[in-house]
């Protein structure tokens, strides 16, 4: 009894701290403005809507301001600490730049960018931060549910097992600094992780559905590519085939939409990567 009371006291204290911290995090997220990742992707979606090639515009802006990302000057590029193709960069003479938006930061691959554009492109600018905050909150809840279901399956059963695991997992999750950073910066890692976990859980039961989720999660390949070894080891060819089809289809649609060769889109995207050495997840890593 005393042990149970002590555990619940600690959990209650942790949840109280997490709630206060999370409230502060959400307030920051709503004020982050153009420093937010979701706003940068919203800008890219507006270029997609205008049928302009954001990867070519982004790469041209970077090359004009910092030089080409060749082997000789990669060390210099590493030192500039570049996080975005920001509006202060010189875009004179670059045809296609929308003055009201500035140059796009097209760091996601073409298939993923097309997916995101369909989701966020129609949202008014003033509502983007609040909308994405809600999306992150929903997917955090889904991720918590998936984690709790997994823990229930592997831990010994008890009378209050669901409540206890839910409380502990919620406390740990909301006290985890990377979660707060994802909310503060309007990042995509929460959504990607939840979709990936859903794909892995459903892989044996429904390979096709797992492949669909995996194909969608690949919009952030730097996080997902290492996990592609799992369906490969399990010989889940259906999942791999469906995921690959979604990516290839998205790439073809992107090429048709912006009137550019899919190969050139991929090459431009890869050439943007060396300018972003300091990112948490990069193609190089």
């Amino acid at each position: 009894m005393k042990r149970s009371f002590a555990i619940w006291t600690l959990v209650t204290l942790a949840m109280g701290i997490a709630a206060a911290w999370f409230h502060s995090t959400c307030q920051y997220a709503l004020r982050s403005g153009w420093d937010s990742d979701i706003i940068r992707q919203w800008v890219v979606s507006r270029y997609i809507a205008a049928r302009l090639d954001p990867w070519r515009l982004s790469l041209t802006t970077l090359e004009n301001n910092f030089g080409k990302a060749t082997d000789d000057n990669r060390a210099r590029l590493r030192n500039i600490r570049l996080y975005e193709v920001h509006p202060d960069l010189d875009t004179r003479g670059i045809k296609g730049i929308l003055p009201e938006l500035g140059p796009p930061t097209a760091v996601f691959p073409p298939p993923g960018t097309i997916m995101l554009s369909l989701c966020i492109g129609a949202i008014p600018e003033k509502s983007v931060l609040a909308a994405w905050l809600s999306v992150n909150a929903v997917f955090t809840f889904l991720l918590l549910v998936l984690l709790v279901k997994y823990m229930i399956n592997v831990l010994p059963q008890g009378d209050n097992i669901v409540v206890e695991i839910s409380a502990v997992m919620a406390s740990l999750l909301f006290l985890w600094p990377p979660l707060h950073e994802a909310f503060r910066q309007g990042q995509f890692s929460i959504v990607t992780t939840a979709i990936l976990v859903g794909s892995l859980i459903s892989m044996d039961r429904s390979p096709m559905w797992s492949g669909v989720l995996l194909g969608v999660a690949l919009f952030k390949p730097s996080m997902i590519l290492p996990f592609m070894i799992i369906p490969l080891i399990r010989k889940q060819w259906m999942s791999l085939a469906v995921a690959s089809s979604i990516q290839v289809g998205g790439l073809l649609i992107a090429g048709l939409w912006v009137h550019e060769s899919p190969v050139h889109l991929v090459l431009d995207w890869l050439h943007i990567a060396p300018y972003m050495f300091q990112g948490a997840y990069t193609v190089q890593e």
Side-chain angles (χ1 to χ4, degrees), residues 135-147 173-174 190:
V135 169
N136 272 334
V138 169
F139 274 85
T140 300
F141 176 75
L142 291 176
L143 183 58
L144 177 61
V145 170
L146 291 172
L147 292 173
L173 192 63
F174 283 94
I190 297 172

Side-chain angles (χ1 to χ4, degrees), residues 261-275:
S261 163
V263 174
H264 288 163
L265 294 183
V266 172
L267 290 177
D268 285 347
W269 168 63
L270 290 173
H271 288 150
I272 292 170
Y275 294 90

Side-chain angles (χ1 to χ4, degrees), residues 76-247:
R76 181 173 62 83
L77 291 175
R78 185 189 293 272
N79 293 332
I80 64 175
R81 311 299 296 174
L82 188 64
Y83 292 89
E84 62 170 321
V85 189
H86 52 81
D88 293 335
L89 295 178
D90 185 8
T91 58
R92 289 174 297 180
I94 303 178
K95 184 179 180 181
I97 294 292
L98 301 176
E100 68 275 17
L101 297 175
T105 305
V107 293
F108 283 162
T113 300
I114 287 293
M115 294 179 198
L116 286 174
S117 297
L118 293 174
C119 298
I120 67 176
I123 302 176
E125 181 183 349
K126 63 181 180 181
S127 304
V128 173
L129 291 173
W132 196 247
L133 181 65
S134 301
V135 169
N136 272 334
V138 169
F139 274 85
T140 300
F141 176 75
L142 291 176
L143 183 58
L144 177 61
V145 170
L146 291 172
L147 292 173
V148 169
K149 288 179 64 177
Y150 174 76
M151 296 300 293
I152 290 172
N153 290 332
V154 300
L155 291 179
Q157 298 298 302
D159 294 337
N160 298 316
I161 186 69
V162 175
V163 175
E164 291 173 357
I165 291 178
S166 299
V168 172
M169 293 301 294
S171 300
L172 292 174
L173 192 63
F174 283 94
L175 285 172
W176 193 42
L179 179 79
H180 289 265
E181 187 65 16
F183 271 90
R184 286 167 64 89
Q185 301 299 332
Q187 295 173 351
F188 299 84
S189 51
I190 297 172
V191 174
T192 307
T193 303
I195 296 174
L196 172 65
V197 172
S199 172
L200 297 179
I201 289 176
S202 62
M203 189 169 291
D204 293 327
R205 185 176 65 255
S206 179
M208 181 172 290
W209 174 242
S210 175
V212 171
L213 293 177
L214 197 59
V216 172
L218 276 167
F219 77 82
K220 195 172 178 63
S222 52
M223 285 185 64
I224 302 304
L225 283 175
F227 294 94
M228 295 297 286
I229 192 66
I230 296 177
L232 189 62
I233 292 174
R234 293 183 180 179
K235 297 182 180 180
Q236 292 288 3
W237 311 124
M238 176 63 75
S239 295
L240 289 171
V242 172
S244 300
S245 298
I246 289 174
Q247 288 294 302

